[in-house]
C-alpha cells in the first residue's frame, strides 16, 4: 500500500493535549454561502475526529442537540441556532492506496470539495473532474450525494468515516450502506435506520477507477468538444470546461450569496410527463434508467417568469432560475417567502410540487 501525505495529517491526539475550541455568540454570516444573518450560541471547531469524541464526553455538550456545519453552502438560516454547532475543519488530502483497478484517495471532512477535485486532477488521480466547483466541504458531499455533469458522488465513493454522536466511536461505513439516491442518502434520513443527527462524517474515501475514462455525453460538455475540436479530452481539460460552464451560469458565492440549486429536479411518471408535455411541449426532461422522468425545475421556474425577479432582499439569479440569490442584506425569512411563492406558481401551472434542496433552519 502506497501512502502519500499531502497536507501533514493532524497530530494524533495525546490524551489531554488538546482542549476543545469553544466559542460563544458566533456570527454565522461568514459561515453560510447565502450570507444570511444568524448567531450560534455555542460553536465548536472540529479539527480531528478526537474533537467529536471530546464533545460526546463533555459534561454539558455531550447531551445537547448538535448542528453540523460544513461549508454552509446548503443551508438557509432563518433564526439563531440553539444547538451546539460543530464546525467541521478536519484537514488532509492523501492517496491512501493505489490498486490495479483504482486509486483510493482520502480527504478530511473540512477540506473544500473543489480543493479536493483540483488536487486529485493535478496529482494524477483523475475521476472527479465533472464535479469541479461544487460549493461546500468534503464532509457534506455524501449527505446529499452531490453531482454534476453526469457524475454523482455515489459513483466514486469508497467509504465514509463517521464518529457516532452517542458512543463517540469511529466507524468506517462502506458506500453500499449509504442508501444513495438523487440528492439523498442515509445521512439525510431521520426515520428508522436513518443517520441524520446521529453521527458526524470525519473523513471520506473515494475510489477513482483505473483506467480513467471520461464521463461525457452531457450536452454542455459535447458543445465544448465541438467548439474546441477536442474529441478525446483529458481529465484536466474536462475540469477546465466544467469550471468555465459553471462560472458562466452560476453565481460565485464569494460575490453573490447563494446556495447553489435551490430546488431538486422533480421526478415524475411517464404519464405525468406526457400530460405536462401536452400542455407545455418545450419542457426540458430526462428519462431515468428506471423509466421515470426527471423534469428541469430551472426550466419550469423560468417558464413561470421568475428569472431575474427580486422579492425583498432575495432574488432569482438572472442566468439560472434554479438558483436563489442574496441581493444584499437578505434575511432567511425573505428567501423562504420567495421560495414558497415560486413553489406555488410552479404548482399552479404544472401541478408539480418543487422540493427545496437546502436545509431550512
Ligand atoms: N433551464 C432553463 N432556464 C433556467 C435554468 C435551466 O430553461 O433558468 C434549462 C436549461 O437550459 C437546461 C435545463 O433547464 O436545458 C437544465 O438546466 P442545467 O443543465 O443548468 O441543470 P439543472 O438541472 O438546472 C442540475 C444540478 C446542478 C448541476 C447541473 C449540471 C440539481 C438540482 N441541480 O442543474 O447542481 O450543476 O445539473 O449537472 O440537480 C447544485 O446541486 O447546487 C447544482 C448546481
Amino acid at each position: 500500500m502506497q501512502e502519500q501525505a499531502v497536507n501533514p495529517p493532524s497530530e494524533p491526539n495525546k490524551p489531554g493535549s488538546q482542549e476543545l475550541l469553544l466559542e460563544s455568540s458566533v456570527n454565522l454570516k461568514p459561515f453560510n454561502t447565502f450570507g444570511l444573518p444568524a448567531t450560534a450560541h455555542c460553536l465548536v471547531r472540529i479539527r480531528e475526529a478526537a474533537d467529536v469524541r471530546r464533545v460526546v464526553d463533555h459534561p454539558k455538550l455531550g447531551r445537547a442537540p448538535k448542528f453540523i456545519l460544513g461549508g454552509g453552502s446548503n443551508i438557509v438560516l432563518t433564526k439563531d441556532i440553539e444547538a451546539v454547532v460543530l464546525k467541521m475543519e478536519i484537514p488532509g488530502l492523501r492517496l491512501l492506496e493505489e490498486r490495479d483497478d483504482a486509486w483510493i484517495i482520502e480527504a478530511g471532512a473540512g477540506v473544500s470539495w473543489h480543493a479536493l477535485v483540483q488536487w486529485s486532477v493535478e496529482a494524477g488521480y483523475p475521476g472527479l473532474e465533472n464535479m469541479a466547483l461544487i460549493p461546500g466541504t468534503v464532509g457534506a458531499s455524501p449527505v446529499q450525494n452531490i453531482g454534476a455533469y453526469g457524475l454523482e458522488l455515489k459513483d466514486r465513493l469508497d467509504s465514509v468515516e463517521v464518529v457516532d454522536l452517542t458512543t463517540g466511536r469511529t466507524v468506517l461505513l462502506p458506500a453500499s450502506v449509504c442508501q444513495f439516491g438523487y440528492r439523498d442518502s442515509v445521512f439525510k434520513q431521520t426515520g428508522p435506520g436513518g443517520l441524520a443527527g446521529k453521527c458526524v462524517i470525519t473523513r471520506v474515501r473515494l475510489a477513482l477507477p483505473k483506467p480513467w475514462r471520461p464521463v461525457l455525453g452531457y450536452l454542455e460538455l459535447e458543445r465544448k468538444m465541438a467548439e474546441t475540436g477536442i474529441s478525446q479530452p483529458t481529465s484536466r481539460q474536462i475540469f477546465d470546461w466544467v469550471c468555465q460552464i459553471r462560472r458562466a451560469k452560476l453565481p460565485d458565492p464569494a460575490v453573490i450569496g447563494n446556495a447553489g440549486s435551490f430546488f431538486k429536479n422533480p421526478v415524475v411518471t411517464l404519464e405525468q410527463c406526457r400530460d405536462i408535455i401536452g400542455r407545455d411541449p418545450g419542457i426540458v426532461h430526462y428519462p431515468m434508467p428506471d423509466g421515470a422522468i426527471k423534469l428541469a425545475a430551472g426550466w419550469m421556474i423560468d417558464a413561470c417568469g421568475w428569472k431575474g425577479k427580486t422579492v425583498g432582499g432575495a432574488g432569482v439569479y438572472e442566468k439560472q432560475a434554479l438558483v436563489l440569490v442574496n441581493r444584499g442584506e437578505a434575511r432567511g425569512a425573505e428567501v423562504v417567502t420567495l421560495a414558497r411563492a415560486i413553489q406555488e406558481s410552479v404548482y399552479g401551472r404544472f401541478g408539480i410540487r418543487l422540493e427545496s434542496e437546502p436545509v431550512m433552519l
Side-chain angles (χ1 to χ4, degrees), residues 1-144:
M1 188 165 95
Q2 194 183 348
E3 268 208 16
Q4 183 190 339
V6 174
N7 288 348
S10 48
E11 274 283 294
N13 177 43
K14 297 178 202 91
S17 68
Q18 297 215 312
E19 294 295 322
L20 277 177
L21 270 182
L22 279 178
E23 291 161 55
S24 54
S25 297
V26 179
N27 173 17
L28 292 176
K29 201 168 177 172
F31 296 149
N32 73 99
T33 60
F34 237 120
L36 300 171
T39 301
H41 292 293
C42 175
L43 182 141
V44 187
R45 291 180 190 264
I46 303 294
R47 298 145 303 160
E48 56 181 349
D51 282 337
V52 184
R53 285 193 286 281
R54 290 187 188 104
V55 169
V56 172
D57 293 340
H58 192 278
K60 281 204 191 112
L61 305 181
R63 287 172 174 220
K66 319 275 186 313
F67 174 73
I68 301 157
L69 179 63
S73 61
N74 204 39
I75 52 172
V76 179
L77 293 170
T78 60
K79 54 182 190 293
D80 293 345
I81 304 205
E82 307 286 340
V84 176
V85 174
L86 305 185
K87 169 106 178 26
M88 301 311 295
E89 296 185 351
I90 298 175
L93 280 173
R94 62 180 177 151
L95 175 69
L96 196 65
E97 185 185 353
E98 180 160 4
R99 301 194 312 231
D100 287 345
D101 64 340
W103 294 279
I104 310 294
I105 60 172
E106 186 189 69
V111 174
S112 115
W113 171 263
H114 180 67
L116 161 65
V117 176
Q118 185 160 22
W119 166 77
S120 61
V121 169
E122 283 169 3
Y125 317 128
L128 299 178
E129 52 283 339
N130 294 50
M131 293 190 279
L133 274 186
I134 295 183
T137 48
V138 166
S141 64
V143 178
Q144 55 156 349

Side-chain angles (χ1 to χ4, degrees), residues 167-186:
T167 62
R169 271 198 215 116
T170 299
V171 183
L172 194 65
L173 301 175
S176 56
V177 304
C178 295
Q179 299 175 24
F180 287 122
Y182 168 58
R183 296 293 190 274
D184 195 21
S185 77
V186 73

Side-chain angles (χ1 to χ4, degrees), residues 3-329:
E3 268 208 16
Q4 183 190 339
V6 174
N7 288 348
S10 48
E11 274 283 294
N13 177 43
K14 297 178 202 91
S17 68
Q18 297 215 312
E19 294 295 322
L20 277 177
L21 270 182
L22 279 178
E23 291 161 55
S24 54
S25 297
V26 179
N27 173 17
L28 292 176
K29 201 168 177 172
F31 296 149
N32 73 99
T33 60
F34 237 120
L36 300 171
T39 301
H41 292 293
C42 175
L43 182 141
V44 187
R45 291 180 190 264
I46 303 294
R47 298 145 303 160
E48 56 181 349
D51 282 337
V52 184
R53 285 193 286 281
R54 290 187 188 104
V55 169
V56 172
D57 293 340
H58 192 278
K60 281 204 191 112
L61 305 181
R63 287 172 174 220
K66 319 275 186 313
F67 174 73
I68 301 157
L69 179 63
S73 61
N74 204 39
I75 52 172
V76 179
L77 293 170
T78 60
K79 54 182 190 293
D80 293 345
I81 304 205
E82 307 286 340
V84 176
V85 174
L86 305 185
K87 169 106 178 26
M88 301 311 295
E89 296 185 351
I90 298 175
L93 280 173
R94 62 180 177 151
L95 175 69
L96 196 65
E97 185 185 353
E98 180 160 4
R99 301 194 312 231
D100 287 345
D101 64 340
W103 294 279
I104 310 294
I105 60 172
E106 186 189 69
V111 174
S112 115
W113 171 263
H114 180 67
L116 161 65
V117 176
Q118 185 160 22
W119 166 77
S120 61
V121 169
E122 283 169 3
Y125 317 128
L128 299 178
E129 52 283 339
N130 294 50
M131 293 190 279
L133 274 186
I134 295 183
T137 48
V138 166
S141 64
V143 178
Q144 55 156 349
N145 182 26
I146 60 169
Y149 304 103
L151 200 66
E152 284 184 328
L153 183 85
K154 74 169 170 52
D155 303 320
R156 298 288 181 260
L157 191 81
D158 174 76
S159 50
V160 180
E161 182 195 272
V162 301
V163 176
D164 187 308
L165 274 174
T166 311
T167 62
R169 271 198 215 116
T170 299
V171 183
L172 194 65
L173 301 175
S176 56
V177 304
C178 295
Q179 299 175 24
F180 287 122
Y182 168 58
R183 296 293 190 274
D184 195 21
S185 77
V186 73
F187 304 107
K188 254 187 158 179
Q189 287 152 26
T190 47
L195 290 180
K198 293 191 179 140
C199 64
V200 179
I201 295 171
T202 47
R203 287 185 187 282
V204 171
R205 292 181 183 176
L206 300 154
L208 311 177
K210 282 166 76 177
W212 172 78
R213 284 196 191 88
V215 176
L216 300 168
Y218 202 94
L219 187 68
E220 283 162 300
L221 290 176
E222 299 279 332
R223 222 176 262 153
K224 288 280 182 196
M225 287 164 70
E227 271 167 32
T228 57
I230 298 171
S231 58
Q232 292 184 313
T234 61
S235 156
R236 176 75 215 200
Q237 185 66 71
I238 296 172
F239 173 88
D240 289 340
W241 284 343
V242 170
C243 290
Q244 286 164 18
I245 295 166
R246 290 188 72 106
R247 286 195 174 114
K249 70 172 183 186
L250 296 172
D252 177 354
V255 183
I256 305 173
N258 75 91
S261 299
F262 200 91
F263 300 101
K264 290 191 200 181
N265 285 328
V267 177
V268 299
T269 62
L270 188 59
E271 291 72 44
Q272 280 174 299
C273 185
R274 282 199 183 122
D275 184 44
I276 295 173
I277 290 173
R279 286 176 279 129
D280 276 288
I283 191 162
V284 177
H285 59 285
Y286 314 95
M288 312 252 290
D290 63 359
I293 311 284
K294 199 187 264 183
L295 304 175
W299 185 92
M300 290 194 276
I301 298 167
D302 196 357
C304 290
W306 282 104
K307 204 186 236 178
K309 290 273 154 62
T310 299
V311 176
V316 180
Y317 192 52
E318 288 70 13
K319 297 182 203 161
Q320 163 54 294
L322 198 52
V323 178
L324 302 193
V325 293
N326 184 345
R327 297 267 186 231
E329 294 298 311

